[in-house]
Amino acid sequence: MVHEYPQIYEKFKCIGGKCSDSCCIGWEVDVDEAMYYYYLTVKGKMGDRIRSCMEYRDGEAIFPLNKEGRCPFLNSKNLCDIITELGEDSLCTVCTEYPRYYETAGDYEQIDMSLSCPEVARLFFRDGEKYEIVVYDDGIFCEELSKTKAGSRDKMRLKRNAAMNVVDSVDIKALYKRLKSTKPEELFGFLEKEIDNVLRPIMKGRHKKAYDESILSVETKSLLPHLETLDNRWKEIYDFIKIHDRKGDLSKISYDFLTAAGDEKASLQRIEWLRRTLKYLIFRYTIEAYFDEDVIYEAILIKRCMLILCFICSVRCYLSKGHFEREDMEDTAHIFSRQIEHSEDNLEVLKGRSIK
């Protein structure tokens, strides 16, 4: 079986109680079927505690959050009592896999690392890091897809790789010069064209016209009120975006962020962070077109995610009076990922398939 994953997959290790925003806070834990039946057999006080905390809703078992919004097994040291009492093998699948995500199609598996994990974000944006993809064949036989389905899957992989190569080929110094010579009020149009150039390998042929019509039919900023709010920090940022978009100065705020108010070195660093994030989005979502059977939705999602991320970065930079360092980028990407990538409803809205 062939596996593809970002290089940081091999470098990641959960830092547990040292994490700045634990994944055991704010999210209910889904209990997979195998662990549900295992938990029914655990003896002693720990078994009784697990069963007393577990609920069964809509045909699925979960560990609901306590009054403080924490997993009931997350102790005062931000460590998991299930691990300390029963070992890591006793964790639910979602706990052992996160922040890894798996997409499997026949004898191929794509593994992603989510930026919603602060430690992944730290590794992702650290100085000198490159977003490189590792291809590994473990030699284990796996049932193959039909020739037609395998061809469709591999076609998506080729398109994805072509788009990522375009990202890598961009001369960011030349991009900075073009950006700086752009009028602030024309910034968003400039950004959209740059992203469209990257996505061109994905949007070849009949898809291009439908993509253009879909992305133009609803302005990205106007979709923000339709997004489910999972994090209060998101609401504060959205409220700011809404106010300044109405005033007409959001483009100037974004222009100042991207050009770093004339500081070329800082601007190039910010552009590099965004370029790296664009590769992350392309790698993570293009393969979903194989399952959706229409790459338009994924291309629209990637473009809108990049624009929203730019808005958020710009707002945070403005609020901190122009200060925006690597740690700010890490945290911004982390907030963005938790808000967008962990809500199927939000993803559907940004793909243009669902507006509440």
Side-chain angles (χ1 to χ4, degrees):
M1 187 173 193
V2 175
H3 308 266
E4 283 190 297
Y5 52 82
Q7 205 169 35
I8 56 172
Y9 172 79
E10 299 172 341
K11 303 173 184 178
F12 172 78
K13 184 177 181 181
C14 178
I15 60 175
K18 297 179 181 179
C19 186
S20 61
D21 192 5
S22 173
C23 53
C24 303
I25 300 174
W27 288 332
E28 292 182 332
V29 175
D30 295 325
V31 181
D32 53 283
E33 186 176 8
M35 295 313 298
Y36 170 75
Y37 287 112
Y38 165 72
Y39 291 147
L40 295 181
T41 69
V42 176
K43 301 183 184 300
K45 292 182 179 180
M46 194 61 192
D48 292 338
R49 181 184 170 192
I50 289 175
R51 288 185 287 275
S52 69
C53 292
M54 195 160 48
E55 292 185 7
Y56 211 68
R57 298 181 191 166
D58 301 324
E60 294 184 353
I62 65 166
F63 288 134
L65 301 176
N66 61 22
K67 292 180 180 179
E68 289 75 38
R70 298 163 65 91
C71 172
F73 302 101
L74 186 66
N75 63 34
S76 59
K77 296 181 180 179
N78 278 353
L79 298 175
C80 176
D81 286 338
I82 291 181
I83 292 179
T84 57
E85 291 286 332
L86 303 175
E88 290 190 22
D89 291 342
S90 297
L91 286 177
C92 301
T93 300
V94 67
C95 295
T96 57
E97 290 187 350
Y98 179 81
R100 308 162 190 87
Y101 287 90
Y102 302 85
E103 292 283 5
T104 304
D107 56 351
Y108 168 79
E109 180 180 65
Q110 177 175 304
I111 308 171
D112 299 309
M113 299 293 290
S114 176
L115 289 174
S116 61
C117 169
E119 179 62 9
V120 170
R122 186 189 70 80
L123 291 172
F124 185 86
F125 289 108
R126 67 182 177 180
D127 294 339
E129 188 68 44
K130 292 185 178 181
Y131 191 73
E132 301 293 345
I133 302 303
V134 176
V135 183
Y136 169 65
D137 189 339
D138 60 17
I140 298 174
F141 175 77
C142 184
E143 184 177 352
E144 297 181 4
L145 298 172
S146 68
K147 190 173 181 179
T148 300
K149 288 187 175 181
S152 177
R153 176 202 62 198
D154 293 341
K155 186 176 182 180
M156 285 301 105
R157 290 174 63 195
L158 288 172
K159 287 185 174 183
R160 177 203 68 197
N161 292 345
M164 292 176 72
N165 287 338
V166 174
V167 179
D168 285 335
S169 69
V170 173
D171 183 334
I172 62 172
K173 287 191 175 182
L175 177 61
Y176 168 74
K177 290 179 180 179
R178 296 199 305 275
L179 173 65
K180 195 174 179 183
S181 64
T182 301
K183 296 179 181 178
E185 62 270 21
E186 297 173 354
L187 175 68
F188 295 140
F190 171 84
L191 293 178
E192 291 200 31
K193 287 181 181 179
E194 292 297 324
I195 297 171
D196 285 343
N197 287 337
V198 169
L199 297 179
R200 187 174 291 120
I202 297 176
M203 300 309 306
K204 287 181 179 178
R206 65 180 180 84
H207 297 295
K208 184 65 171 68
K209 183 178 179 181
Y211 165 80
D212 289 339
E213 291 174 350
S214 297
I215 199 72
L216 291 173
S217 63
V218 181
E219 189 177 19
T220 300
K221 294 191 293 295
S222 69
L223 291 173
L224 297 178
H226 299 281
L227 299 178
E228 175 187 14
T229 300
L230 305 179
D231 190 312
N232 287 333
R233 291 172 294 179
W234 168 262
K235 185 178 185 305
E236 293 171 4
I237 291 171
Y238 163 65
D239 287 343
F240 184 95
I241 291 173
K242 182 171 62 175
I243 291 170
H244 284 270
D245 186 41
R246 189 165 59 240
K247 288 182 178 179
D249 58 3
L250 182 60
S251 59
K252 177 63 166 61
I253 290 171
S254 299
Y255 178 85
D256 288 344
F257 164 73
L258 288 171
T259 60
D263 184 337
E264 181 176 355
K265 183 178 179 181
S267 177
L268 291 175
Q269 181 64 83
R270 294 173 186 182
I271 292 171
E272 175 57 32
W273 289 332
L274 291 173
R275 171 161 73 173
R276 208 174 298 177
T277 308
L278 180 54
K279 287 188 69 175
Y280 161 89
L281 292 169
I282 292 170
F283 180 73
R284 179 159 187 179
Y285 291 109
T286 304
I287 192 62
E288 290 189 8
Y290 165 74
F291 302 99
D292 280 346
E293 298 184 343
D294 197 335
V295 73
I296 294 171
Y297 297 124
E298 278 61 45
I300 291 172
L301 173 66
I302 292 166
K303 181 171 181 175
R304 285 176 171 161
C305 280
M306 281 304 298
L307 292 173
I308 289 172
L309 186 61
C310 183
F311 298 155
I312 300 172
C313 290
S314 302
V315 167
R316 294 195 66 175
C317 182
Y318 178 83
L319 293 175
S320 61
K321 303 185 186 306
H323 178 86
F324 196 89
E325 303 300 330
R326 178 168 55 84
E327 292 78 11
D328 300 300
M329 187 69 220
E330 293 169 10
D331 190 52
T332 302
H334 156 65
I335 295 171
F336 162 82
S337 182
R338 286 195 69 152
Q339 169 65 30
I340 300 298
E341 298 188 298
H342 287 273
S343 168
E344 287 298 326
D345 289 340
N346 286 346
L347 289 172
E348 290 298 294
V349 168
L350 292 181
K351 287 180 180 182
R353 296 197 295 198
S354 172
I355 297 180
K356 296 179 180 179

